[in-house]
């Protein structure tokens, strides 16, 4: 369980460290991998996974939300607390939907679902009354203008898609590598 907590905290910290102004933007391309590894470990190792995944993904997204939206505190303290907790909850529910699908479908289908549901969440988050687009994944490139000249065609959703696909591919590659490595060790004995 400690390893899962560390993976959740690592994912939140990488997301926060990648964010604009003082962040290292390239970290965004590995930031979701620990969270995906944590979810896969819980799904593999535990029978009752829903509460664990919900709590740990909430921890990860809270770890991201606090350092990137603390400045709302200067406007309204209650508003800051509400914005941070509500946005964290929405992100957690989105990831939790992925977990539910991942338990029932194969890995590739569930990872495609993750990309689709996350982009849907971001679109929804832009169009409802309590719009909060600051933490859309595509916004992480706002200071890397040369990286995103193609945004004029795709908008920030192109950047979000880019981030999600790279993270999913890295996660899938790591899982495949570890599975093959385990098989090789098994056959050598």
């Amino acid at each position: 369980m400690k390893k899962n907590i560390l993976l959740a905290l690592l994912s939140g910290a990488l997301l926060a460290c990648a964010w604009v102004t003082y962040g290292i933007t390239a970290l965004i391309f590995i930031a979701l991998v620990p969270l995906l590894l944590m979810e896969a470990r819980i799904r593999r190792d535990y029978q009752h996974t829903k509460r664990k995944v919900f709590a740990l993904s909430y921890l990860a997204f809270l770890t991201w939300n606090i350092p990137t939206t603390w400045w709302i505190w200067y406007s309204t303290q209650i508003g800051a607390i509400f914005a941070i907790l509500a946005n964290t909850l929405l992100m957690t529910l989105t990831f939790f939907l992925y977990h539910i699908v991942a338990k029932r479908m194969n890995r590739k289908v569930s990872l495609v679902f993750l990309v689709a549901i996350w982009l849907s969440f971001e679109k929804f988050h832009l169009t409802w009354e309590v719009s909060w687009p600051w933490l859309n994944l595509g916004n992480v490139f706002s200071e890397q203008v040369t990286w995103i000249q193609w945004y004029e065609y795709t908008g920030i959703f192109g950047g979000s898609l880019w981030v999600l696909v790279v993270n999913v591919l890295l996660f899938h590659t790591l899982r495949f590598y570890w599975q093959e490595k385990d098989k090789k060790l098994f056959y050598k004995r």
Side-chain angles (χ1 to χ4, degrees):
M1 187 65 174
K2 288 181 183 179
K3 197 169 199 176
N4 292 331
I5 293 171
L6 289 175
L7 286 170
L9 288 171
L10 177 62
S11 194
L14 286 170
L15 285 162
C17 289
W19 219 247
V20 292
T21 308
Y22 303 110
I24 302 168
T25 308
L27 290 176
I28 198 70
F29 294 115
I30 60 169
L32 293 173
V33 174
L35 188 63
L36 292 167
L37 289 170
M38 179 266 315
E39 188 277 335
R41 285 186 50 154
I42 290 174
R43 198 168 7 106
R44 182 193 70 209
D45 295 342
Y46 297 100
Q47 187 175 16
H48 304 289
T49 62
K50 290 180 181 176
R51 275 189 245 148
K52 289 175 180 64
V53 169
F54 188 88
L56 289 173
S57 59
Y58 194 89
L59 176 65
F61 293 125
L62 186 64
T63 305
W64 175 26
N65 271 267
I66 289 173
T68 54
T69 56
W70 61 269
W71 48 269
I72 301 172
W73 187 265
Y74 293 127
S75 173
T76 170
Q77 296 166 354
I78 295 194
I81 292 169
F82 174 77
I84 290 169
L85 295 179
N87 197 46
T88 299
L89 179 63
L90 290 171
M91 291 175 170
T92 301
L93 289 173
T94 304
F95 191 78
F96 187 69
L97 283 173
Y98 156 71
H99 169 68
I100 291 170
V101 169
K103 285 178 72 170
R104 291 167 175 76
M105 306 292 256
N106 69 40
R107 185 174 299 128
K108 290 179 184 176
V109 171
S110 63
L111 290 172
V112 169
F113 177 78
L114 172 63
V115 172
I117 194 72
W118 194 273
L119 291 174
S120 299
F121 156 70
E122 286 190 358
K123 177 65 175 168
F124 163 74
H125 216 16
L126 281 174
T127 58
W128 70 318
E129 289 297 318
V130 192
S131 178
W132 183 243
W134 171 247
L135 293 182
N136 283 0
L137 293 173
N139 281 341
V140 75
F141 303 111
S142 66
E143 293 190 359
Q144 307 299 336
V145 180
T146 57
W147 294 14
I148 56 168
Q149 290 300 306
W150 44 275
Y151 266 31
E152 70 180 291
Y153 304 110
T154 66
I156 62 166
F157 296 114
S160 294
L161 178 65
W162 185 24
V163 168
L164 289 165
V165 166
V166 169
N167 275 278
V168 162
L169 288 174
L170 280 174
F171 166 72
H172 187 67
T173 303
L174 281 173
R175 294 283 299 183
F176 180 76
Y177 171 75
W178 285 330
Q179 285 174 350
E180 291 301 312
K181 183 179 173 185
D182 287 344
K183 286 178 186 173
K184 288 177 185 174
L185 288 173
F186 179 74
Y187 290 125
K188 285 183 180 179
R189 292 182 185 169

